[in-house]
Amino acid sequence: MATQQQQQQHEQAFASPAATTLAAPSISDMGFNKPNNFDFEEEFHYKFWNPLYYYKALNQHRLRLNLPNPGQFEFLNKEIKTTMLTNLMFEGGRADLAKILSPNFQVMHSFQMGLPGGNPSAFEFAGVYADENSMMHGKMDTEMNLQARLNHAVSKELQLKAQAQVMTNDSQSMIQLEGEYTGSDFTANVKAINPSMVDGTGIYLGNYLQSITPKLSIGAELLYQCPMPKVQETSISFAMRYQPSADRAWVAQTQGSNILTTSYWRKVSEKCEAGAELQMINVPSQGRREASCSVGVKYDFAMSTFRAMADNFGKVQMLLEEKIAPGFSFLLSGELDHLKGENKFGIGINLES
C-alpha cells in the first residue's frame, strides 16, 4: 500500500499541465514490452537514456506543427530566377519550333544565328516524353553533342534522376546520378557527378532542407570532390529562406566559405514583380574581394511580358515576349554594357503546334 502511494506521489511530481495535452510516448508506444515490476522511476530513467524516445518525441512534435515542405535546395530563390534575366538572354536570331505529337510526346527544333565564336549558327533537335511517373528528355546539335535526362518517381516521396552529356570535347562529357526524397516538412537530395568505382574520383553532393516554422526554412549542403586519386576537397554551404507572406521572400545562401549570396523578391501587384540580388566574394589566398548587385523587374501585360535588369557594372538588359497568337510568340532582347562599350541584340520567335 505504501509503495503504491509513493508511486502516485512520484507521478504527480513529474506531471505538468503540458504533459496532459502533449503526452510523451511511453515504453509500450515505442514498441517495447514493459517488464513486470517496472516502476515509474525505472521508466523515467529508461526514457532519459534511450535515443529512440527523443527521436519519436521529435517526430510527434513535428507532426503537431504541420509544417509545409520547403521545396528543393537548389531552387530556394526560384522567384528571383524567373524575374531576373540571367538565364533568359540570347544574342542574334533564334527560332524555337515545337510540335506536340501526342499528350505524352513532343519534338522541338531550335535554330540560332549570329552567335559569337567560331560557329555563327547552330541547330538543335530535342524530344520530350512525359507521363505521370517518368520524364525523358534528349537533344542533339549539329556538332553531334548529345544531352539526355531521365526523371522517374519511384513513389510519391522518392524520385530518381539521371543526366548525361556526350560532347565532342571529352573534358565536357559528364554523367550525373541523383536521388531525392521529399518528406512532409523536409527535402533530402544526393548527387554523384562522374563517379568512378575504380579510383573513387568524382564529385559528390548531399543537401538537406528543413522547415523550422511555416515561414522559415534552413538547410545545408556538403560537397566532396576528388578530381584525381589522393586529391580530395570538401566544403559545406548553408542556406536560409524566409517568406513572411506569399508576395515576398528573403533568401541567404553561402557557397563554401568564400561566397555569400542574398536576394529579396517582392510581388508588387498582380502583374508586377521585382527582385534584388547581392553577391559577395572573398578569397584571401588569391587576393580577390569583390561584390556585385543586380536589380530586376518583371511586368505582365495582357498579351506580353517585359523583363529588365541592371547591375553595378553598368550593364542593362531587357527582354520582351509578345504573344501574337495562341502558340506563337515574338521575342526581343537587348543588352548595353556601358563600361565595356559593348552592345548585344537578339530577335526570336516561339511556335508551338
Side-chain angles (χ1 to χ4, degrees), residues 15-310:
S16 63
T20 58
T21 57
L22 305 177
S26 62
I27 299 301
S28 59
D29 293 337
M30 293 162 51
F32 298 97
N33 295 325
K34 184 185 296 187
N36 296 330
N37 302 325
F38 196 83
D39 60 8
F40 178 78
E41 289 186 359
E42 293 180 357
E43 182 174 1
F44 176 78
H45 290 295
Y46 186 79
K47 290 179 178 179
F48 182 79
W49 292 107
N50 186 13
L52 295 178
Y53 164 74
Y54 297 99
Y55 174 76
K56 189 168 184 178
L58 179 61
N59 284 340
Q60 289 184 351
H61 180 66
R62 289 168 53 190
L63 293 176
R64 287 193 293 268
L65 293 177
N66 193 23
L67 297 174
N69 183 271
Q72 296 176 309
F73 188 90
E74 56 187 0
F75 294 125
L76 276 176
N77 54 350
K78 54 186 177 182
E79 296 87 358
I80 288 290
K81 293 183 178 181
T82 58
T83 303
M84 298 292 192
L85 292 171
T86 305
N87 301 322
L88 301 176
M89 289 296 298
F90 65 95
E91 183 181 0
R94 192 181 78 177
D96 297 323
L97 311 177
K99 177 66 175 180
I100 300 177
L101 302 179
S102 70
N104 303 107
F105 182 68
Q106 69 174 4
V107 295
M108 292 168 288
H109 304 268
S110 179
F111 303 86
Q112 287 185 284
M113 300 179 62
L115 297 175
N119 297 321
S121 62
F123 168 75
E124 287 184 353
F125 175 77
V128 178
Y129 175 83
D131 56 20
E132 296 181 356
N133 298 322
S134 302
M135 189 278 293
M136 293 183 290
H137 174 266
K139 65 179 181 179
M140 178 179 288
D141 60 14
T142 52
E143 300 295 326
M144 303 305 293
N145 296 318
L146 175 64
Q147 298 183 25
R149 184 174 58 180
L150 170 64
N151 295 356
H152 178 68
V154 180
S155 63
K156 186 178 179 181
E157 297 82 11
L158 181 61
Q159 192 174 47
L160 302 179
K161 305 177 184 180
Q163 182 176 351
Q165 64 181 24
V166 181
M167 313 295 286
T168 54
N169 186 357
D170 293 338
S171 61
Q172 298 179 356
S173 300
M174 57 85 69
I175 183 172
Q176 174 178 307
L177 305 177
E178 182 177 353
E180 183 175 275
Y181 186 86
T182 304
S184 59
D185 60 351
F186 71 93
T187 301
N189 181 284
V190 292
K191 297 178 184 177
I193 303 174
N194 291 337
S196 176
M197 302 298 294
V198 179
D199 53 9
T201 58
I203 302 175
Y204 305 90
L205 300 95
N207 58 63
Y208 181 84
L209 188 62
Q210 173 71 56
S211 292
I212 304 301
T213 67
K215 301 178 181 180
L216 178 65
S217 58
I218 60 175
E221 182 178 61
L222 178 63
L223 168 65
Y224 169 80
Q225 57 182 346
C226 182
M228 58 185 65
K230 298 182 180 180
V231 177
Q232 302 175 359
E233 298 179 4
T234 59
S235 64
I236 186 170
S237 304
F238 299 96
M240 179 185 67
R241 175 184 172 92
Y242 178 69
Q243 188 172 8
S245 59
D247 60 350
R248 67 190 68 187
W250 301 81
V251 177
Q253 193 169 3
T254 65
Q255 297 179 22
S257 59
N258 301 321
I259 302 177
L260 171 64
T261 304
T262 60
S263 63
Y264 173 70
W265 172 84
R266 173 72 184 273
K267 189 171 185 179
V268 182
S269 63
E270 291 296 328
K271 299 182 178 181
C272 182
E273 300 177 10
E277 188 175 42
L278 173 64
Q279 185 179 74
M280 294 172 285
I281 303 175
N282 182 24
V283 186
S285 60
Q286 302 177 3
R288 182 184 178 188
R289 179 177 296 179
E290 59 186 41
S292 62
C293 178
S294 58
V295 294
V297 63
K298 172 187 174 184
Y299 195 90
D300 293 322
F301 295 92
M303 295 295 293
S304 62
T305 300
F306 176 77
R307 292 179 174 91
M309 187 176 72

